[in-house]
Amino acid sequence: MVKKCIVCNDEAEFKIKNTSDYYCKDCAEENFADVSMLIKVEEEAQKLKEYLKQKISDIKSDEEELDSMVKYTENNNDKQDDTTGKD
């Protein structure tokens, strides 16, 4: 989702940390003495992507661990049925 400048409604390049105030390059330079104090929107998006990738990886890992536990339980139940002589 493209963020818009709160001043001119152009595509934003910067934001103020911990706010939803976004600025295009021109408005940022016009309103702030030092734009290096602002967060680049693209950097923020990359951080979010990395966070989501890590969460997805954690979920997949948890799912694989759960699958192996289910298979282990199923295998143990099959062995117990074999020792009783029942079908």
Side-chain angles (χ1 to χ4, degrees):
M1 185 165 93
V2 176
K3 301 296 183 184
K4 300 289 184 175
C5 175
I6 64 170
V7 177
C8 69
N9 213 31
D10 283 347
E11 186 175 337
E13 285 187 47
F14 299 98
K15 75 173 266 186
I16 297 176
K17 186 176 183 176
N18 298 327
T19 70
S20 58
D21 295 345
Y22 293 89
Y23 297 90
C24 68
K25 184 178 182 194
D26 292 338
C27 291
E29 289 173 346
E30 187 176 311
N31 289 287
F32 299 95
D34 186 6
V35 294
S36 68
M37 300 301 289
L38 300 173
I39 298 171
K40 287 197 168 245
V41 172
E42 184 59 33
E43 290 173 10
E44 191 79 359
Q46 290 301 323
K47 288 178 187 176
L48 179 59
K49 283 181 183 178
E50 287 302 315
Y51 174 79
L52 292 174
K53 282 181 185 178
Q54 181 61 46
K55 287 297 178 186
I56 289 170
S57 175
D58 291 347
I59 290 169
K60 286 181 180 177
S61 176
D62 290 347
E63 185 178 325
E64 290 170 358
E65 183 179 345
L66 182 59
D67 284 346
S68 68
M69 291 171 64
V70 168
K71 287 178 185 173
Y72 176 78
T73 303
E74 288 173 349
N75 287 340
N76 281 344
N77 287 341
D78 289 344
K79 289 178 184 176
Q80 288 174 356
D81 288 343
D82 289 344
T83 60
T84 62
K86 295 181 181 178
D87 288 327

